[in-house]
Amino acid sequence: MPLHVPPAPAPALRTVLTALGSPTAVREARTPSLRNAQGPATPDLPLPVHVLDRITPAGASATRLAGWRFLIRCGERAVAAAETRLTPDGWAFSHFFEGPYVTATERALRQAETMTGSYQARLLSVPELYMLTLWLHGDCAADGAEGHPAATDLLVPLAPAPPGIAAHRPHRVAELLPVLTHRLTPTPTPTPTPAPLLGSPA
């Protein structure tokens, strides 16, 4: 399928390019793969990162844009990722990182390209479950920084996924949200029954 990657804000991209061009920023990053990369490293596949803070009683998700993430490619593979965030002064570089989510994101994007239909690629984070998904939004013309998951959108949990949720298996939002709702809803604490007073009937 044609996978659409929304254009990142130009100032966000500039902050990543500046960081990549700074030996200090690269050297101080906790990313051995980036520090040891042979050849030029370039930002690629910018994805808006949305955060799912809660699920309303009606089941609709409330999301917010947390930033833009760029895969940092060296040669044919991604060796790290760069995170940017919006500040009162505009877009700012946050940090480089590496690890399983970098590999999983690249795998999920390749997987999405083999699906039928057209989607816009985003990331959706569920911090309470330590869960990150590739969010395939059905409106390819939408502003990547706005909007909420539609019932027919697809979510592909990235590895490592929470227990009981299969990584890299696409789920429709309408199917996965009830599962997340159950997990995010705290279990009511039972009210303890007062003990009978000494000498009173039980």
Side-chain angles (χ1 to χ4, degrees), residues 131-148:
M131 178 180 179
L132 183 65
T133 71
L134 176 65
W135 170 13
L136 300 175
H137 189 47
D139 184 0
C140 298
D143 183 344
E146 298 179 355
H148 302 293

Side-chain angles (χ1 to χ4, degrees), residues 13-152:
L13 175 58
R14 282 198 297 270
T15 66
V16 173
L17 290 171
T18 299
L20 281 173
S22 166
T24 301
V26 173
R27 184 173 61 251
E28 292 181 352
R30 297 178 180 178
T31 50
S33 295
L34 180 59
R35 291 198 304 268
N36 300 329
Q38 300 295 319
T42 57
D44 189 26
L45 294 173
L47 297 173
V49 182
H50 294 258
V51 176
L52 176 63
D53 286 318
R54 61 186 176 87
I55 299 176
T56 67
S61 58
T63 61
R64 59 181 172 83
L65 179 71
W68 283 78
R69 179 174 298 178
F70 298 76
L71 293 182
I72 304 302
R73 191 172 299 281
C74 185
E76 296 299 317
R77 67 186 186 96
V79 296
E83 198 89 358
T84 63
R85 57 187 175 85
L86 189 59
T87 71
D89 297 323
W91 287 98
F93 170 76
S94 176
H95 61 281
F96 292 115
F97 69 94
E98 61 182 49
Y101 281 141
V102 174
T103 304
T105 299
E106 205 171 25
R107 173 183 169 183
L109 288 168
R110 288 196 304 266
Q111 180 183 358
E113 290 173 348
T114 67
M115 298 177 186
T116 58
S118 297
Y119 294 97
Q120 182 190 81
R122 306 174 174 196
L123 291 172
L124 181 66
S125 170
V126 188
E128 289 187 58
L129 298 180
Y130 300 97
M131 178 180 179
L132 183 65
T133 71
L134 176 65
W135 170 13
L136 300 175
H137 189 47
D139 184 0
C140 298
D143 183 344
E146 298 179 355
H148 302 293
T152 54

Side-chain angles (χ1 to χ4, degrees), residues 122-196:
R122 306 174 174 196
L123 291 172
L124 181 66
S125 170
V126 188
E128 289 187 58
L129 298 180
Y130 300 97
M131 178 180 179
L132 183 65
T133 71
L134 176 65
W135 170 13
L136 300 175
H137 189 47
D139 184 0
C140 298
D143 183 344
E146 298 179 355
H148 302 293
T152 54
D153 287 355
L154 296 177
L155 297 177
V156 184
L158 303 185
I165 296 178
H168 296 287
R169 176 184 171 188
H171 302 265
R172 290 201 179 277
V173 167
E175 298 167 353
L176 188 58
L177 274 188
V179 177
L180 301 185
T181 302
H182 176 72
R183 295 199 177 198
L184 291 174
T185 302
T187 304
T189 303
T191 303
T193 304

